[in-house]
Amino acid sequence: MRESLRLIIGERNYLSKFVYINDIMKNGLDIIDEVGDNHMMTSEDTPLRSDAFELSDEEKITEIESHFEKIMHTLGLDLTDDSLKGTPKRVAKMFVNEIFGGLNPEGVPSASTFENKYNYSEMLVEKDITLYSTCEHHFLPIVGKAHIAYFSNGKVIGLSKMNRIVDYYAKRPQVQERLTIQVVKHLQKYLGTQDVACVIDAKHLCVNSRGIRDIQSSTVTSEFGGKFKDPTTRKEFLNYLQMKVGL
């Protein structure tokens, strides 16, 4: 099959450049595999169908349980074994209620903001936020840390809310670049300022445990808005990330 494939590669200023690939086969490799192996992002928004929420969570669990049972059967596993017979149900519940719970817009954390009555005008940094996500190309874990900073424009947000926002967007099939952008855009919306930054440093098990099997490498992504586009402000933020707290 030959067709044009348009890949939208987001730049940091939210402009986009378009790459048109006319051959669906490139160097003998299917371009779809190449997108996955190179961890390419095709959209800033999580790709969801218009009917994504027509089924209830319980209905989704039932469907996924059935499909996963077929996968295990195809692999040759004995589903009558005591250790395996409950696995399809466990996986289905985990997908819907836990690791992909961030797909449901009803689960978005309330981003309660407060008036900055103490007139704090310096950078606020929340660093080392634990992050667990799932690579959308291979459905293997992404594990790392997120670091967020912002300047108040009259509003402040509770510290734990930033952790919850990271967790919400992480709990879905993800690409790390998209996750970084989504966290920043969410905070910009609720804080009413462009002065938000996020850096994520994470290990991808689709790189660490398969393919090249490089267990040492990690991936760093960043998104800088407003004042953080200034090199001096950006350097200040990155310097804070090097600080260690001795407790």
Side-chain angles (χ1 to χ4, degrees):
M1 177 176 64
R2 296 169 64 88
E3 64 183 52
S4 294
L5 178 67
R6 183 173 71 177
L7 301 179
I8 306 174
I9 305 176
E11 296 181 336
R12 286 296 170 255
N13 57 3
Y14 289 116
L15 296 177
S16 294
K17 59 184 178 180
F18 299 92
V19 178
Y20 292 89
I21 303 175
N22 292 318
D23 289 314
I24 200 69
M25 299 295 291
K26 184 179 180 182
N27 297 329
L29 294 174
D30 191 325
I31 193 65
I32 294 175
D33 287 337
E34 188 164 332
V35 168
D37 287 339
N38 287 287
H39 307 275
M40 297 168 72
M41 179 179 72
T42 58
S43 172
E44 283 185 10
D45 297 318
T46 301
L48 286 171
R49 300 194 319 273
S50 59
D51 64 348
F53 306 107
E54 288 186 0
L55 295 178
S56 68
D57 284 354
E58 285 304 315
E59 288 172 325
K60 288 181 178 180
I61 289 170
T62 299
E63 287 281 321
I64 294 170
E65 179 183 359
S66 174
H67 291 304
F68 201 80
E69 183 176 318
K70 292 175 182 176
I71 291 172
M72 293 177 67
H73 178 78
T74 301
L75 290 171
L77 295 170
D78 180 5
L79 288 163
T80 65
D81 184 89
D82 287 342
S83 179
L84 296 177
K85 61 184 179 183
T87 297
K89 183 79 164 186
R90 285 190 290 267
V91 170
K93 290 172 67 177
M94 177 184 67
F95 277 9
V96 174
N97 296 332
E98 297 179 79
I99 64 174
F100 299 141
L103 289 172
N104 192 335
E106 292 184 0
V108 63
S110 59
S112 303
T113 57
F114 309 92
E115 184 182 349
N116 184 10
K117 292 183 178 180
Y118 29 84
N119 296 319
Y120 182 77
S121 59
E122 297 298 320
M123 185 187 308
L124 189 148
V125 180
E126 180 82 356
K127 67 177 188 175
D128 294 332
I129 299 171
T130 300
L131 179 154
Y132 291 97
S133 190
T134 304
C135 166
E136 69 180 35
H137 299 127
H138 298 96
F139 272 45
L140 287 172
I142 299 171
V143 182
K145 299 287 186 181
H147 315 283
I148 298 172
Y150 73 90
F151 286 93
S152 174
N153 189 29
K155 295 180 180 179
V156 294
I157 190 170
L159 297 179
S160 67
K161 295 298 183 184
M162 289 188 278
N163 298 61
R164 294 182 189 279
I165 289 166
V166 170
D167 187 59
Y168 172 70
Y169 286 105
K171 285 184 173 177
R172 56 180 70 182
Q174 268 293 13
V175 176
Q176 188 172 319
E177 295 92 330
R178 181 195 297 132
L179 172 58
T180 312
I181 293 169
Q182 288 175 332
V183 169
V184 168
K185 292 179 76 171
H186 186 105
L187 285 166
Q188 287 174 331
K189 176 182 177 182
Y190 285 95
L191 288 168
T193 178
Q194 291 296 303
D195 303 331
V196 180
C198 178
V199 171
I200 293 176
D201 184 1
K203 285 183 174 289
H204 294 237
L205 266 69
C206 50
V207 173
N208 302 148
S209 67
R210 59 161 297 282
I212 192 64
R213 295 185 181 179
D214 183 346
I215 63 172
Q216 297 299 325
S217 66
S218 67
T219 300
V220 178
T221 51
S222 62
E223 181 72 7
F224 300 107
K227 292 180 180 179
F228 290 94
K229 293 186 181 295
D230 176 73
T232 301
T233 304
R234 185 182 307 180
K235 183 178 180 180
E236 179 186 350
F237 170 44
L238 296 176
N239 284 341
Y240 285 137
L241 303 188
Q242 307 304 315
M243 293 175 61
K244 301 297 181 183
V245 178
L247 295 176

